[in-house]
Amino acid sequence: MTARAWQHPGLPALSVLLAALLLGLSHGSVALADAPPTGESLPNLGQLKTRIVQYHDSGTYEAELEAVDRQAQAYLETRLKDPHIAVVLDIDETALSNWPHLRQYDFGYVPEAWDLWERESAAWPIVPTLNLFRYARGHHVPVFFISSRPEKYRDVTVRNLESAGYGGYQALYMRGPDSPPGPSVIPFKSGVRKQLVEQQHYDVVVSVGDQVSDLEGGYADRTFKLPNPMYYIP
């Protein structure tokens, strides 16, 4: 099987480039980089992959995840007395880590291999996010998962969330045939948050994701962006 440029399984019509081509690592942090002007050379992909591995394995990645999740928890603590509040979490590289699979395939996307990985329900919990989840549930705040994974992975996703320690969440929303079309996940994810706010009358006080597209579109009081130099989803 040959690895392709990373393509998120929830976006079959779009080849999503390895985020290292779009994200720069500066002092261990992930920052959005502008495209180079015409005539300037692009970064070397092999070197960027090496830097991503070093960033992950050095502990910097974990420390930055923890810093963001702590900020989210600190804000949630200030809202605990408010009525009918809720927390929204993304799944991949927010609640669960696919690092073993991404590393095995050198950040490439092999559809058959990805399908097998998902069906193993073996993604690791991202511990800082798990701690945030447990804090919310410990204070009786409902947590909703909104994922761009397709509905065909619902059973294996539920199993993976449960085995990783995320038992007791309120609901899991995944992309189905009735989800908004197009490459961007923003209409789908913001549409679910809108439903939570306008139809179920929740106040989504905290929304956490690893992609800007997880968080755009409104219907959340505060958003918290986790680092992800591995891939990009519009």
Side-chain angles (χ1 to χ4, degrees):
M1 293 184 289
T2 302
R4 308 176 188 173
W6 177 263
Q7 175 183 333
H8 191 276
L11 306 175
L14 180 72
S15 291
V16 181
L17 297 178
L18 180 70
L21 294 175
L22 302 173
L23 300 174
L25 297 180
S26 175
H27 304 294
S29 298
V30 181
L32 191 63
D34 294 328
T38 302
E40 289 191 15
S41 61
L42 288 168
N44 181 274
L45 181 58
Q47 292 177 332
L48 285 171
K49 289 179 180 180
T50 298
R51 292 180 66 188
I52 290 172
V53 173
Q54 292 171 343
Y55 168 70
H56 180 278
D57 293 351
S58 68
T60 304
Y61 174 58
E62 181 77 11
E64 293 186 352
L65 290 172
E66 183 171 3
V68 175
D69 278 324
R70 282 187 178 275
Q71 292 172 11
Q73 180 174 318
Y75 180 71
L76 176 58
E77 185 176 4
T78 69
R79 303 294 303 274
L80 290 176
K81 294 182 180 180
D82 293 353
H84 214 50
I85 64 173
V87 169
V88 164
L89 300 176
D90 172 54
I91 292 181
D92 292 300
E93 275 50 69
T94 297
L96 298 176
S97 171
N98 298 292
W99 180 258
H101 178 83
L102 295 171
R103 189 72 184 91
Q104 180 181 1
Y105 286 90
D106 197 31
F107 305 106
Y109 173 60
V110 180
E112 298 86 353
W114 176 259
D115 183 77
L116 290 173
W117 167 254
E118 290 281 65
R119 295 185 189 284
E120 287 177 6
S121 301
W124 300 343
I126 292 181
V127 175
T129 303
L130 180 59
N131 291 338
L132 171 63
F133 173 85
R134 287 172 171 168
Y135 179 85
R137 295 302 303 123
H139 289 82
H140 309 291
V141 177
V143 177
F144 295 86
F145 285 102
I146 306 177
S147 174
S148 57
R149 291 184 180 192
E151 274 287 344
K152 69 177 182 178
Y153 291 122
R154 175 170 291 275
D155 290 346
V156 296
T157 299
V158 168
R159 184 164 65 243
N160 203 161
L161 287 171
E162 293 283 345
S163 66
Y166 291 100
Y169 56 88
Q170 192 74 9
L172 166 62
Y173 293 88
M174 306 178 74
R175 294 186 89 181
D178 296 330
S179 298
S184 176
V185 302
I186 295 173
F188 164 65
K189 293 202 168 191
S190 63
V192 175
R193 294 195 304 271
K194 180 180 180 180
Q195 175 186 331
L196 294 178
V197 171
E198 295 187 351
Q199 298 180 24
Q200 301 187 41
H201 308 294
Y202 281 101
D203 182 356
V204 178
V205 295
V206 166
S207 180
V208 183
D210 64 286
Q211 305 285 327
V212 173
S213 55
D214 292 331
L215 308 172
E216 288 190 343
Y219 301 99
D221 295 352
R222 286 283 298 274
T223 61
F224 297 87
K225 168 69 171 63
L226 297 173
N228 179 1
M230 284 77 77
Y231 56 85
Y232 168 75
I233 301 175

